[in-house]
Amino acid sequence: MKLATFETRPVDLIGPRVGLVLEDGAVADLSLAYQIFLADRRDPGAIAQRVAWGREGIIGFLKGGSPAIETARRILDFVREARDRGVELKGAKGTPALHEAGQVRFLAPIPRPGKVIAMGFNFEDHLRENPKAVRPRFPMGFLQASSTIIGHEDPVLYPRDSQELDYEVEVAFVVGRGGKYIPPERALDHIAGYTVFNDLSLRDIQRGEMKVGFLLMGKNLDTLAPMGPHMVLSDEIKDPQQLDMELWVNEEPEPRQRGNTRDMIFKLPELVSYWSRMTLEPGDIITSGTPSGVAAFRETPEDYYLKPGDVVRCVVQDIGELRNRIVPGPHPEAA
């Protein structure tokens, strides 16, 4: 099952809401479809569920745990059956519960995660391509602000502060059940699903920061963390350590990055366990790190750094494709 946070095109009068993505790309409004499904029933628990989804969006859904997921599966079956019978699902005010592909805008699946824990140097080949890198003894990462998050097909603002905008295809692991000091053998029980992530980096700013031992602005300017287009629930991914990853720029004949999550130095259970020294909460994001092929370690990196007009596509096996265009950032006086 695929979950998304979406708005309708061209104008949305309701606001972001949780959607179920069907096989052909159509999206069902989960809360409204649930309301239609319940119809004449009186179920206080179900009403409370819908209120949580409306108030807290997809994070409210994740907090509902297994019961919320089972309800969503029932609603998905209900929507499919109605569609097969040619029944149009509408709310009390005539609002459609199902929107065809192309009629929605996908926001990031988790539009404002509590925290994004992003990994550095967690792929064997990425470690080898940096002549100065030292193999980490424990997971090395950094926090990203929620204001960096954008969705599928949202524009990435080319910053006026940097000339070295780099790309990094990654898998984002979405925390479903929170916890602290989670043992590795139970770590996967805390992952709700997976989505595609592009950890964009400002290398010139990053190098200056890392000379004095920290990393903040080089990863945290607005729009540097595209994510989406949807989240695939964890039970549909047989093995998160066997996912092919690719990153493409424009119409180039070969991907700039190609890897597989089996080459992660610290695997998902280790990451969840290690980072749960901080309390993990529903909707938190942990990223995989990126494979080799980034612009910074090419022989002529200036030929590979992203520029306005470039379109970047991140593709992860069994999860989806995330696409974003680089556009000029705002004029200083407009900021």
Side-chain angles (χ1 to χ4, degrees):
M1 187 165 62
K2 296 176 181 177
L3 290 172
T5 300
F6 77 99
E7 295 177 341
T8 56
R9 298 179 186 272
V11 177
D12 192 305
L13 300 178
I14 300 175
R17 48 209 184 274
V18 183
L20 296 168
V21 184
L22 278 65
E23 291 76 7
D24 64 353
V27 178
D29 181 328
L30 177 57
S31 183
L32 182 56
Y34 194 17
Q35 181 179 350
I36 297 168
F37 173 76
L38 291 171
D40 297 326
R41 306 177 200 183
R42 296 291 181 267
D43 186 338
I47 293 171
Q49 249 185 358
R50 288 197 300 105
V51 168
W53 300 345
R55 184 178 60 247
E56 297 184 83
I58 202 163
I59 291 181
F61 176 86
L62 294 175
K63 288 178 179 178
S66 297
I69 292 173
E70 289 308 310
T71 296
R73 293 192 192 285
R74 293 169 63 198
I75 301 309
L76 183 58
D77 289 340
F78 170 69
V79 171
R80 285 172 175 154
E81 291 170 4
R83 199 179 196 195
D84 290 344
R85 291 186 285 112
V87 176
E88 191 173 0
L89 299 176
K90 289 188 176 182
K93 298 182 179 180
T95 305
L98 184 65
H99 307 276
E100 299 301 327
Q103 294 180 344
V104 304
R105 171 190 169 224
F106 287 109
L107 285 70
I110 314 295
R112 281 292 180 265
K115 50 186 170 291
V116 178
I117 306 170
M119 287 298 301
F121 290 116
N122 196 38
F123 274 71
E124 296 285 359
D125 56 354
H126 184 44
L127 191 68
R128 290 193 298 269
E129 72 177 345
N130 180 359
K132 297 181 180 179
V134 177
R135 187 179 181 83
R137 293 181 292 108
F138 51 85
M140 297 177 61
F142 50 91
L143 290 174
Q144 285 186 285
S146 62
S147 54
T148 62
I149 300 292
I150 58 172
H152 176 63
E153 293 189 337
D154 283 346
V156 172
L157 302 179
Y158 188 81
R160 68 173 191 259
D161 312 274
S162 171
Q163 299 298 312
E164 298 182 1
L165 177 61
D166 209 343
Y167 48 80
E168 295 185 12
V169 61
E170 306 199 10
V171 179
F173 310 117
V174 182
V175 174
R177 180 155 60 93
K180 190 173 178 67
Y181 295 115
I182 300 166
E185 61 271 17
R186 293 198 349 239
L188 294 185
D189 296 337
H190 291 259
I191 297 299
Y194 308 91
T195 189
V196 187
F197 193 85
N198 188 357
D199 179 19
L200 293 163
S201 307
L202 307 177
R203 298 300 189 192
D204 40 5
I205 295 177
Q206 180 181 356
R207 276 195 302 274
E209 290 183 320
M210 294 182 72
K211 284 180 181 178
V212 292
F214 77 102
L215 176 57
L216 183 63
M217 297 299 287
K219 293 282 191 176
N220 275 292
L221 297 192
D222 293 350
T223 74
L224 289 186
M227 178 169 61
H230 46 249
M231 177 180 76
V232 178
L233 292 188
S234 56
D235 62 354
E236 297 200 6
I237 301 296
K238 292 181 180 179
D239 186 352
Q241 301 298 166
Q242 293 291 334
L243 299 174
D244 290 328
M245 311 159 64
E246 292 182 344
L247 182 140
W248 300 74
V249 178
N250 301 325
E251 299 300 323
E252 294 175 355
E254 295 291 332
R256 292 195 182 181
Q257 289 185 278
R258 179 179 281 146
N260 188 287
T261 52
R262 64 173 167 265
D263 296 322
M264 289 167 58
I265 295 171
F266 297 99
K267 304 300 195 268
L268 178 54
E270 297 171 275
L271 296 181
V272 172
S273 182
Y274 182 83
W275 294 121
S276 69
R277 297 177 181 185
M278 300 182 281
T279 299
L280 296 180
E281 300 173 313
D284 283 350
I285 302 293
I286 300 173
T287 74
S288 63
T290 197
S292 64
V294 298
F297 300 132
R298 302 265 183 167
E299 286 190 19
T300 55
E302 62 276 7
D303 295 331
Y304 291 90
Y305 287 128
L306 299 171
K307 298 291 190 290
D310 286 342
V311 176
V312 184
R313 294 188 299 117
C314 297
V315 184
V316 177
Q317 175 188 353
D318 298 331
I319 298 178
E321 176 179 314
L322 170 68
R323 185 171 58 253
N324 300 90
R325 181 182 295 274
I326 314 301
V327 303
H331 187 275
E333 294 181 358

